[in-house]
């Protein structure tokens, strides 16, 4: 595995997993903008649909093994863990408006 291509959150998440075959991590895959047929085939075999040359960011839920294999590809720039976003509930008080 090429850890230089992984963001810190993804590297930490990989350390916490026990099953290396289970697709359990949602990741962004940043690639070179022009992909050859072999690179497209590798991405499609990883379960990524809609792979076309000219597109350079893909999302997928991958296993640690798949992440390791992708990180070794020269055309993969880096892999980033997708983070769940949380809405911030903040009640506006009347004081905010100076009333």
């Amino acid at each position: 595995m090429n850890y230089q291509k992984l963001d810190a959150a993804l590297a930490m998440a990989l350390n916490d997993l026990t099953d290396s075959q289970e697709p359990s991590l949602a990741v962004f895959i940043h690639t070179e903008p022009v992909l050859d047929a072999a690179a497209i085939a590798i991405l499609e075999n990883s379960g990524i649909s809609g792979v076309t040359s000219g597109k350079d960011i893909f999302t997928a839920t991958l296993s640690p093994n798949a992440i390791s294999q992708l990180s070794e590809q020269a055309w993969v720039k880096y892999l980033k863990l997708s983070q769940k976003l949380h809405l911030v509930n903040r009640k506006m008080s009347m004081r905010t408006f100076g009333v």
Side-chain angles (χ1 to χ4, degrees):
M1 179 152 348
N2 184 347
Y3 283 94
Q4 292 179 337
K5 292 186 180 182
L6 308 181
D7 74 330
L10 180 55
M12 289 176 56
L14 286 168
N15 288 335
D16 293 340
L17 296 176
T18 55
D19 186 354
S20 62
Q21 300 296 325
E22 177 69 27
S24 57
L25 294 170
V27 297
F28 292 102
I29 304 151
H30 296 259
T31 67
E32 297 292 333
V34 178
L35 299 174
D36 61 17
I40 291 171
I42 291 170
L43 288 171
E44 288 175 342
N45 288 337
S46 296
I48 302 164
S49 59
V51 180
T52 59
S53 191
K55 191 174 175 185
D56 62 351
I57 301 174
F58 305 94
T59 58
T61 301
L62 301 174
S63 69
N65 280 350
I67 291 168
S68 177
Q69 291 171 359
L70 285 173
S71 74
E72 297 294 333
Q73 301 299 320
W75 44 267
V76 172
K77 290 182 180 178
Y78 60 96
L79 298 145
K80 183 177 179 180
L81 183 66
S82 175
Q83 303 287 330
K84 288 189 177 189
L85 298 178
H86 301 280
L87 294 176
V88 177
N89 277 340
R90 194 175 116 197
K91 292 184 179 182
M92 307 258 318
S93 72
M94 295 304 275
R95 287 181 244 157
T96 304
F97 298 110
V99 175

